[in-house]
Amino acid sequence: MTETNPGSTSAKDGSAVGSTRGEWPLYEVFVRGKRGLNHVHVGSLHAADDQMAVHHARDVYTRRNEGVSIWVVRASDITASSPDEKDPMFAPSGDKVYRHPTFYDIPADVPHM
Amino acid sequence: MTTQVNDNRFDEAALQEQFDATIEAKDRIEPRDWMPEAYRKTLIRQVAQHAHSEIIGMQPEGNWISRAPSLRRKAILLAKVQDEAGHGLYLYSAAETLGVTRNELTEKLVAGKQKYSSIFNYPTLSYTDVGTIGWLVDGAAICNQVPLCRTSFGPYGRAMIRICKEESFHQRQGYELLMTMMRGTEAQREMVQESVNRFWWPALMMFGPPDDNSPNTEQSMAWGIKTHTNDELRQKFVDMSVPQAEALGVTFPDENLKWNEERGHYDFSTPNWDEFWAVVKGDGPCNEQRLNHRKRAWDEGAWVREAALAFAENQTAEAAATPTAADATPAAGVDTTTPEETAK
């Protein structure tokens, strides 16, 4: 989930490199903490291109062995669900309690359930 | 995304209600949530000031990197100053989620339109100050920052969590440096005491003006941006520091500093607030030097930022000019040994 604010000019101009007062485009950074874990969003940074973004991400976000792998992506290339984190988009999953294991009553003495 | 909001024509009162409910529940506000304009402005001001403090804060100690007394101390100081740069970047990154650009913030800083912590306007006169800054200045920063990990704005809180983890190294390296000097000669012990005398009051002022003269505190606490008042944090810092000073074998320059059984806290004198306001307004010993240095670095680095952009544009243009070749073989100069998961 990007944290880029839609109102941020740096996010908007990401596709047109250098169009707003020469600011490097914004990248979002994802780090895999160790083998077996997902990449997790850790923050953002500015870089002139993809390779520089990876190098900067190493220096800014992994100075103490915080990661074994880094993804960077232009903030402007991220499509997000909606401006509101509490959007009704997620409402349909709210009333489907039968999707959870605790919905089903099983006698306590049945083993391994 | 902005148009979506306009289509829905949410009533502002309903949005305010949702915002208040989130704050009330001690839940976090995230960048794309609606927020009152004053909340956004307050946060931009506070996070930017915090980010600037980290960046300007590189200077007083950076001065000593080339004159570190040993390779060990030099490696430690380099790592510490690099961390300060990193902290500044985490915070600028958080500020940008509020709809400002990093360039804008830097330009406001060098134009003197945004502030940074006044502690960095005091000079570092000897290497001992590296130790004192680590112990007292970073110690005060930790006191201030630990509660900010639970601040109501998500990205700011997350940046603070990363920063606090690293500040602990800063404080411990400083205290260890001072301990080493205290085990040295009489002259070295005097240097430590002299340095502590100079930094004690400015460190206490880092928590900001007293509560009865801090107009923003009440609103910031109502919004969950701040969770403790300036005076509460200052007291906490004094209570923490006194036993550390005793263990080190130094004293603080305050004859009124003594344990108050009734309050369960140390009493201490009122800092010189006239000095505080003078430094905030630009009349500290190093205000001009710090700002000029930052401005020079910004101006002299402009060609590097522009050259990197021009190079990136050329690479894109080249790749576009030879589409088939680019598909078959990677562009020259690009490292092809990317790990399997660097999803391209």
Side-chain angles (χ1 to χ4, degrees):
Chain A
M1 177 67 58
T2 175
E3 295 193 332
T4 309
N5 190 292
S8 156
T9 48
S10 55
K12 276 185 200 153
D13 82 338
S15 52
V17 178
S19 60
T20 37
R21 296 150 57 216
E23 187 154 61
W24 291 348
L26 188 70
Y27 283 82
E28 298 294 335
V29 180
F30 301 77
V31 170
R32 182 198 290 289
K34 59 179 187 179
R35 289 174 178 278
L37 296 181
N38 289 321
H39 284 78
V40 174
H41 181 249
V42 292
S44 65
L45 50 75
H46 288 272
D49 59 34
D50 299 355
Q51 286 306 309
M52 188 195 274
V54 171
H55 289 143
H56 283 182
R58 182 200 60 186
D59 292 344
V60 177
Y61 291 105
T62 62
R63 287 195 301 284
R64 289 180 176 78
N65 304 318
E66 289 96 336
V68 295
S69 166
I70 294 171
W71 289 349
V72 295
V73 61
R74 285 263 187 118
S76 58
D77 288 343
I78 294 179
T79 306
S81 54
S82 102
D84 191 337
E85 306 278 342
K86 293 192 196 78
D87 193 77
M89 167 136 151
F90 301 102
S93 73
D95 60 355
K96 294 177 179 61
V97 283
Y98 47 86
R99 285 178 175 170
H100 296 277
T102 47
F103 179 70
Y104 303 93
D105 283 330
I106 306 282
D109 54 1
V110 178
H112 308 303
M113 289 284 280
Chain B
M1 276 188 270
T2 327
T3 47
Q4 252 178 319
V5 177
N6 291 342
D7 289 346
N8 292 338
R9 278 286 157 217
F10 281 122
D11 181 13
E12 183 147 324
L15 291 167
Q16 177 78 49
E17 213 168 276
Q18 196 182 18
F19 172 86
D20 292 342
T22 306
I23 297 285
E24 180 68 29
K26 303 226 180 296
D27 210 346
R28 304 299 154 88
I29 303 296
E30 292 297 340
R32 299 178 313 142
D33 289 338
W34 180 90
M35 59 186 89
E37 224 17 66
Y39 176 84
R40 186 188 299 276
K41 269 195 189 145
T42 301
L43 267 171
I44 290 173
R45 196 195 62 220
Q46 179 169 338
V47 179
Q49 175 167 336
H50 201 155
H52 297 329
S53 300
E54 301 283 355
I55 298 298
I56 296 285
M58 296 165 76
Q59 292 183 41
E61 293 181 277
N63 282 341
W64 287 97
I65 291 173
S66 61
R67 290 169 286 171
S70 68
L71 193 54
R72 177 177 182 271
R73 294 288 169 197
K74 188 173 195 159
I76 292 169
L77 186 53
L78 265 173
K80 198 209 157 187
V81 173
Q82 190 193 9
D83 272 355
E84 307 295 1
H87 295 177
L89 295 178
Y90 304 155
L91 287 161
Y92 283 129
S93 159
E96 280 183 294
T97 67
L98 291 159
V100 286
T101 70
R102 194 163 310 187
N103 283 5
E104 250 173 87
L105 298 178
T106 303
E107 279 159 15
K108 279 189 178 154
L109 169 69
V110 298
K113 288 178 186 157
Q114 280 180 344
K115 304 224 175 290
Y116 53 88
S117 176
S118 54
I119 188 79
F120 303 115
N121 291 317
Y122 291 88
T124 43
L125 303 179
S126 80
Y127 201 81
T128 321
D129 291 353
V130 171
T132 311
I133 288 175
W135 174 35
L136 293 178
V137 175
D138 290 290
I142 291 171
C143 240
N144 233 333
Q145 290 170 349
V146 167
L148 284 174
C149 294
R150 294 186 305 279
T151 192
S152 61
F153 187 59
Y156 190 28
R158 293 193 283 277
M160 290 321 310
I161 289 170
R162 301 185 70 85
I163 289 173
C164 283
K165 277 186 194 164
E166 299 179 351
E167 290 286 358
S168 176
F169 143 62
H170 296 181
Q171 195 188 22
R172 291 173 68 102
Q173 66 82 32
Y175 195 78
E176 187 239 36
L177 190 163
L178 297 181
M179 276 185 6
T180 308
M181 289 188 72
M182 292 302 283
R183 286 195 301 267
T185 65
E186 193 50 40
Q188 286 177 307
R189 279 188 285 277
E190 279 168 18
M191 283 175 80
V192 174
Q193 183 62 60
E194 188 274 333
S195 174
V196 168
N197 288 349
R198 270 185 293 116
F199 275 96
W200 176 245
W201 292 111
L204 289 192
M205 293 178 201
M206 282 175 70
F207 297 94
D211 293 348
D212 54 18
N213 193 10
S214 176
N216 301 323
T217 294
E218 198 184 339
Q219 180 62 73
S220 281
M221 288 182 76
W223 276 329
I225 296 175
K226 280 173 83 162
T227 53
H228 295 75
T229 72
N230 297 350
D231 285 335
E232 282 168 15
L233 292 169
R234 192 168 9 251
Q235 179 71 62
K236 193 168 171 230
F237 175 68
V238 171
D239 292 346
M240 278 170 43
S241 299
V242 172
Q244 292 170 354
E246 282 165 6
L248 191 60
V250 298
T251 57
F252 293 129
D254 181 358
E255 54 190 21
N256 296 319
L257 183 66
K258 56 176 176 292
W259 180 251
N260 183 326
E261 194 65 50
E262 214 171 288
R263 292 201 308 127
H265 292 291
Y266 283 92
D267 288 337
F268 57 100
S269 304
T270 307
N272 180 349
W273 294 116
D274 292 341
E275 175 185 322
F276 171 79
W277 290 114
V279 178
V280 167
K281 289 182 177 124
D283 290 331
C286 302
N287 293 55
E288 210 182 320
Q289 181 189 338
R290 301 290 185 238
L291 218 48
N292 285 347
H293 184 91
R294 181 70 193 96
K295 187 174 184 330
R296 191 166 63 243
W298 178 244
D299 291 344
E300 290 177 3
W303 74 268
V304 179
R305 298 191 294 273
E306 285 158 19
L309 261 188
F311 177 76
E313 275 166 0
N314 285 345
Q315 295 287 99
T316 313
E318 259 174 53
T322 51
T324 45
D327 285 345
T329 54
V334 174
D335 182 4
T336 56
T337 60
T338 46
E340 82 285 4
E341 273 158 342
T342 315
K344 284 266 171 180

